[in-house]
Amino acid sequence: MVVGLGLALFLLLTAEAAFSQPHLVIFDTDFILPPGDDGMALLLALQSPEVEILGITTVAGNESLERGTSDVLRVLEIAGRVDIPVYRGADMPLVHEKSDFAVSNYGKWWSDEPPPPPPGGFAKKQAEVESAYDFIVRTVAANPGNVTLVALGPLTNVAVALGKDPGLASKIKELVIMGGAVASLGDGGGNITPNAEFNFWVDPEAARKTLRSGVPILLSPLNVSRKTKLTKKWYDEMVATETPITALLKETMGPHFKTEPARNWLMYDQVAMASLIDRTLVKTEDLFVDVDVNHGINYGVSVGGADLWPGAEGARKMKVQYDLDWPRFIEMFVSRVRAPLRKAPGG
Ligand SMILES: [Ca+2]
């Protein structure tokens, strides 16, 4: 009996030890508040013991750099995680200039308007002085082979960091990217132009450089985002508890369902984040993926193939998600977001 108990305790401690080695993550984001996907993905990460966020790096995309930074600082305060540092990155893509199309269609990376107050007012917490690029280079160099980069916006910050340290690519454990759409897999149309996905389209040059860098990549393209549907049913379950996070969701998502109960959202960045937490949620195929940087009708379009094709010389193979275990994913997402707030490690 005593031996049995001892063995049980040993197994428990061993399981705890294995579990207590979370992914060390840099969370790179064109942050947007919930119901926006970056905001929801951050809530999932903060509520997941498999993830330890070393820092958040912001980039222009969904919103301007300043708005994204202001909003993410506030969400960290609401979630009680002001211990996580935030670093500003690129306020513009590497090359892509403003155009009539860019200004009239979705994406406010061009905006230089001051950010509006986030829920509850501007955060007291400030962004760090160090740049996103320097933080990425320094942090990965200090933990070679141990840091996972989760990139949920245009890849400008990642591309700049890769350019600053030619050895960086070989030191990153893995790069999880929400971006692109692959026409050779199902559901592979674009969402900003007929064939281009938004993140890659905002900074095609950065996307191409990053995809060709040699970092091991887990790509979460629109093909897999389109397996999701966040409806009122799931929202109601998610906000059935009383926490600072669910209060934020009630404030930011609730009004949408009041005016339009049939409203639903695709979950883009949330799937990318979840696929790091539990790899078995997604199915992947190994494909070469490259990005068109010619400034024509296919600017920013990602193309994937099992073999290299003419024009794609130098492209790299990566794991491309094409299917999702939706029931398990949404159950995990909802149960974690509605749970009592997790504390900082050691906090
Ligand atoms: Ca994003």
Side-chain angles (χ1 to χ4, degrees), residues 30 37-38 62 152-153 199 269:
D30 57 335
D37 57 338
D38 294 78
N62 282 317
L152 304 178
N199 285 345
D269 296 345

Side-chain angles (χ1 to χ4, degrees), residues 34 167 321:
Q321 301 174 10

Side-chain angles (χ1 to χ4, degrees), residues 3-340:
V3 172
L5 273 176
L7 183 63
L9 186 65
F10 170 77
L11 290 173
L12 195 67
L13 289 172
T14 309
E16 176 68 22
F19 198 60
S20 65
Q21 309 246 325
H23 297 284
L24 302 178
V25 165
I26 296 176
F27 189 97
D28 186 71
T29 171
D30 57 335
F31 195 79
I32 183 170
L33 290 167
D37 57 338
D38 294 78
M40 302 290 271
L42 179 62
L43 297 179
L44 174 64
L46 293 174
Q47 292 287 85
S48 294
E50 300 88 348
V51 172
E52 181 181 340
I53 300 180
L54 302 175
I56 296 175
T57 52
T58 53
V59 65
N62 282 317
E63 303 283 359
S64 71
L65 178 74
E66 288 309 320
R67 176 157 187 189
T69 306
S70 165
D71 286 346
V72 79
L73 288 164
R74 179 65 192 135
V75 170
L76 288 174
E77 276 189 356
I78 290 169
R81 291 303 306 273
V82 292
D83 58 295
I84 297 175
V86 175
Y87 303 84
R88 283 189 186 86
D91 62 357
M92 287 288 283
L94 296 180
V95 176
H96 197 160
E97 293 179 351
K98 283 188 197 182
S99 64
D100 289 345
F101 179 83
V103 171
S104 60
N105 284 273
Y106 181 81
K108 293 189 176 164
W109 46 267
W110 65 83
S111 172
D112 54 9
E113 291 167 20
F122 289 106
K124 291 190 187 72
K125 176 176 171 60
Q126 299 289 309
E128 307 299 311
V129 174
E130 188 180 20
S131 75
Y133 332 114
D134 289 343
F135 168 72
I136 292 171
V137 168
R138 173 173 66 79
T139 304
V140 173
N143 309 274
N146 289 322
V147 177
T148 301
L149 212 51
V150 177
L152 304 178
L155 289 162
T156 324
N157 289 347
V158 180
V160 173
L162 288 167
K164 278 191 163 236
D165 176 2
L168 185 68
S170 64
K171 288 180 269 186
I172 295 172
K173 182 180 183 188
E174 187 174 39
L175 175 56
V176 182
I177 298 173
M178 191 284 129
V182 179
S184 60
L185 302 172
D187 279 337
N191 65 351
I192 181 76
T193 75
N195 289 337
E197 177 277 334
F198 178 77
N199 285 345
F200 281 14
W201 177 81
V202 170
D203 200 337
E205 285 78 9
R208 185 174 189 266
K209 183 175 179 176
T210 303
L211 264 50
R212 286 174 163 243
S213 66
V215 181
I217 290 176
L218 178 63
L219 187 69
S220 193
L222 290 181
N223 308 72
V224 72
S225 321
R226 289 185 171 125
K227 307 285 183 191
T228 63
K229 199 185 218 180
L230 181 56
T231 59
K232 186 168 185 302
K233 165 188 170 341
W234 293 113
Y235 165 79
D236 287 342
E237 279 200 30
M238 199 157 55
V239 300
T241 58
E242 300 288 336
T243 77
I245 285 178
T246 59
L248 173 68
L249 294 176
K250 283 175 206 170
E251 183 175 350
T252 56
M253 288 187 84
H256 292 279
F257 287 120
K258 276 217 176 73
T259 54
E260 195 188 345
R263 173 83 199 247
N264 63 77
W265 281 270
L266 291 182
M267 302 170 82
Y268 309 90
D269 296 345
Q270 300 96 318
V271 172
M273 191 68 238
S275 70
L276 175 67
I277 293 167
D278 182 351
R279 194 63 64 108
T280 66
L281 290 172
V282 292
K283 285 188 184 147
T284 65
E285 201 165 306
D286 288 350
L287 296 178
F288 292 95
V289 182
D290 209 7
V291 179
D292 193 338
V293 292
N294 293 300
H295 290 219
I297 55 172
N298 279 325
Y299 189 41
V301 169
S302 49
V303 181
D307 301 299
L308 277 178
W309 62 97
E313 296 84 0
R316 303 281 191 142
K317 232 173 194 181
M318 58 201 66
K319 301 211 167 296
V320 182
Q321 301 174 10
Y322 66 91
D323 202 4
L324 171 74
D325 187 338
W326 163 252
R328 224 156 41 82
F329 161 78
I330 192 64
E331 291 283 356
M332 177 182 90
F333 187 86
V334 167
S335 66
R336 290 187 178 199
V337 168
R338 60 178 268 161

